[in-house]
Amino acid sequence: MWKKTQETVKFLKEKGFVDIDYAIILGTGLGNFTDVMDIHIRIPYKEIPNFPVSTVVGHHGELVYGSIGDKKIMAMRGRFHYYEGWSIQEATFPVRVMKYLDIDTLIVSNASGGVNSAFKTGDIMLITDHINMMPEHPLRGANDERFGPRFVDMHEAYDKQMIAHMNTIADELGVGLQQGIYLALQGPTFETPAEYGMVRRLGADAVGMSTVPEVIVAKHMGMKCFGVSVITDLGVEGQVEEVSHEEVQKVAKIAERTVGKLVKRFIETY
Ligand code: HPA
């Protein structure tokens, strides 16, 4: 893993991925965040040594380097999910690479199902914490101390200062936000009504199939993390409705412009 990481880092540095302030992983329907960036370099995942190639419709599969104001950004258009068949270490490999590109802050976005009865479809939720219910843990196995410690503190997985700053920006822009806990299941099935009920009773506000492994790996390496989730469907007890990937993408697409505006301003001002 270490050797592969160094190989990929060397390749990307030679391509010009240097001096990066923020890494951002763009999930379902949010891939066009790059529209608000000045793009300098784009490389398809398949041309990057050791990178997996994403197989999900709506995930673009390219790495973008660009800027917003005077901040440099590396954006992943499309992520790797455990349900695609990658091991959890493969799925989180790009996060390993980020750290050795000297990036110390990770912004993640995703789509999720809301289980909090105060939520509406299309709401934007800042992730305040997570519950890891994935069947594999990305840090299982011998620990490589060059990446980080064996036992990782997770008391503030999602940076409180960044959350506070985003709330200020949302106020300024007149955008209403939700906040809550994201629970990760492996998917690829959406949840049954009984499972949504379980998610709620476990203490979460939203459920999805990604993000948590990425944040765990980022925290292992001492990175700061910030996460935003678009509530694309509701799994509220007693009123669970049919959900499809198309519907998830449609709702995420509508929220995309608002999320883009928020994150752009966030990066300009943080
Ligand atoms: N469940 C799991 N993942 C999801 C959902 C959901 O309801 N919506 C979008 N991603």
Side-chain angles (χ1 to χ4, degrees), residues 111-113 190-191 196 207-209 232-233 248:
S112 65
F190 293 112
E191 288 66 37
Y196 283 123
V207 55
M209 309 172 192
T232 54
D233 52 275
V248 165

Side-chain angles (χ1 to χ4, degrees), residues 28 110-115 182-183 185 187-191 196 206-210 230-235 243-245 248:
T28 303
N110 63 40
S112 65
V115 294
Y182 176 92
L183 184 146
L185 292 174
T189 41
F190 293 112
E191 288 66 37
Y196 283 123
V207 55
M209 309 172 192
S210 68
V230 176
I231 307 296
T232 54
D233 52 275
L234 294 176
V243 50
S244 66
H245 185 56
V248 165

Side-chain angles (χ1 to χ4, degrees), residues 51-90:
F51 247 57
V53 176
S54 80
T55 63
V56 188
V57 178
H59 283 254
H60 301 268
E62 64 173 357
L63 197 64
V64 176
Y65 175 81
S67 48
I68 289 179
D70 59 0
K71 305 280 171 55
K72 294 282 185 294
I73 295 147
M74 178 172 98
M76 280 180 67
R77 294 186 81 206
R79 62 151 54 86
F80 308 105
H81 303 83
Y82 183 68
Y83 65 71
E84 292 175 80
W86 310 108
S87 73
I88 205 90
Q89 286 84 7
E90 286 167 338

